[in-house]
Amino acid sequence: MGTEPPDPVGLEMRIDVVSIFVDYLAPLNLSLVGRAQRSGLLDVQLHDLRGHATDRHRTVDDSPYGGGPGMVMRPDVWGEALDSVLAQASESPPVLVVPTPSGEPFTAAVAEELAGSGWLVFACGRYEGIDARVMTHYRDRCEVREISIGDVVLAGGEAAVLVMVEAIARLLPGVLGNPASAADDSFAPGRAGGPLEGPVYTRPPVWRGLSVPPVLMSGDHGEVSRWRAQESADRSRAMRPDLVPPDVP
Ligand code: JB8
C-alpha cells in the first residue's frame, strides 16, 4: 500500500563537494537532486575542508603574497583534501570543477558536458579564492574547469555548486519524470540561445478578474502553436535582445 521499495537503477554519477560550510549544501538532499540520490542514480558526498587542516586552529587561509585585502585559501590544505577525494579511485579521474567569478560562463552546453562525466568533484572557495597552484597542480591529474555562474560575485562557491548540481542532475538519464519538459526548456540542448519560453496558465479560467488568453481554450493546436511562438519572440526581444538574431533585409 504505497510502501513498495523504488525500482533499482544504476548509478549515473558520483559528485564530491569539498567546502568549509558543508551545511550550506544540505539542500542537495531535497527535491530533484535528493530524489536522484535516494533512487540510486546519483551519489553525493560532502567533505569538510577543515578536516584536512593540520594546526590546532584548523586554519585554511593565509595572507596573499604581494599584499592586498582579504585572505587566500592555502594550497597544502586543499591538496590533502583533494588527494583524499581522488584516492577514492574510479576507472577514470573526475572532472574538478572550481566555482569562481573569473571562470568560463556556466551555460546549458557546459551543464551537458559535465552531465556526460561519471564523476565530478567541486572545490568551494571562500575569501579571495584558492591559491592558483592548486588548479595548476590538478590540471596534470584530471580535467579542471573553473566556472562562473554569472556576472555576479558570491561570498563563496557553495551557492554556485547548488546551481550547477541541479542543472546537471536534471540532465541525467532517469532523473526527470517527464523528459519532454526538459526538451522544451528555453536553454535545452539544441535550442540553447533561445527563444525564451512564453507565459503559462492553468485553472481557474478567471482569477482576480484576469482571464486566460482565449486562444489557449480554443482547442486549435495550430493557433496555439503560432501564439506561443509569437509570445516567445516578443519576450526574447524584450528580456534578452542578445539572443535574437539581427533582422536581415
Ligand atoms: C570566493 O561568485 B562566485 C564565487 C565567488 C567566490 C568564490 C567562488 C565563487 C570564492 N568568492 O561564483
Side-chain angles (χ1 to χ4, degrees), residues 99-101 125-129 147-150 152-157 160:
T100 169
R126 283 265 149 180
Y127 317 110
E128 300 305 310
I147 298 179
S148 164
I149 60 154
V152 61
V153 180
L154 306 174

Side-chain angles (χ1 to χ4, degrees), residues 21-22 29 33 41 62 67 80 97-98 105 134 136 159 162 176-178 192 232 246 248:
F21 292 119
V22 290
N29 294 316
V33 177
L41 292 163
D62 204 340
E80 291 302 317
V97 181
V98 185
V134 173
T136 302
L162 295 178
L176 279 193
N178 175 11
S232 287
V248 280

Side-chain angles (χ1 to χ4, degrees), residues 10-146:
L11 185 65
E12 292 285 344
M13 180 177 281
R14 171 171 176 155
I15 293 177
D16 292 275
V17 188
V18 184
S19 164
I20 60 169
F21 292 119
V22 290
D23 290 353
Y24 204 122
L25 298 154
L28 295 175
N29 294 316
L30 302 176
S31 190
L32 175 136
V33 177
R35 194 169 341 113
Q37 289 192 70
R38 289 186 294 276
S39 77
L41 292 163
L42 178 63
D43 178 19
V44 177
Q45 298 290 333
L46 307 181
H47 309 272
D48 185 354
L49 179 70
R50 283 195 202 278
H52 298 275
T54 50
D55 65 320
R56 203 161 61 82
H57 299 289
R58 302 207 298 161
T59 309
V60 298
D61 60 343
D62 204 340
S63 308
Y65 276 119
M71 299 292 271
V72 173
M73 295 189 107
R74 287 167 52 155
D76 54 345
V77 179
W78 270 107
E80 291 302 317
L82 292 173
D83 284 356
S84 82
V85 172
L86 295 196
Q88 326 222 328
S90 157
E91 290 130 60
S92 42
V95 177
L96 176 60
V97 181
V98 185
T100 169
S102 61
E104 61 173 316
F106 187 63
T107 62
V110 172
E112 259 197 290
E113 291 170 17
L114 296 177
S117 167
W119 186 13
L120 301 177
V121 177
F122 289 90
C124 296
R126 283 265 149 180
Y127 317 110
E128 300 305 310
I130 302 171
D131 185 300
R133 290 170 293 181
V134 173
M135 282 62 79
T136 302
H137 172 83
Y138 286 98
R139 277 188 221 282
D140 287 345
R141 297 176 54 185
C142 57
E143 184 184 345
V144 177
R145 303 284 295 264
E146 294 183 80

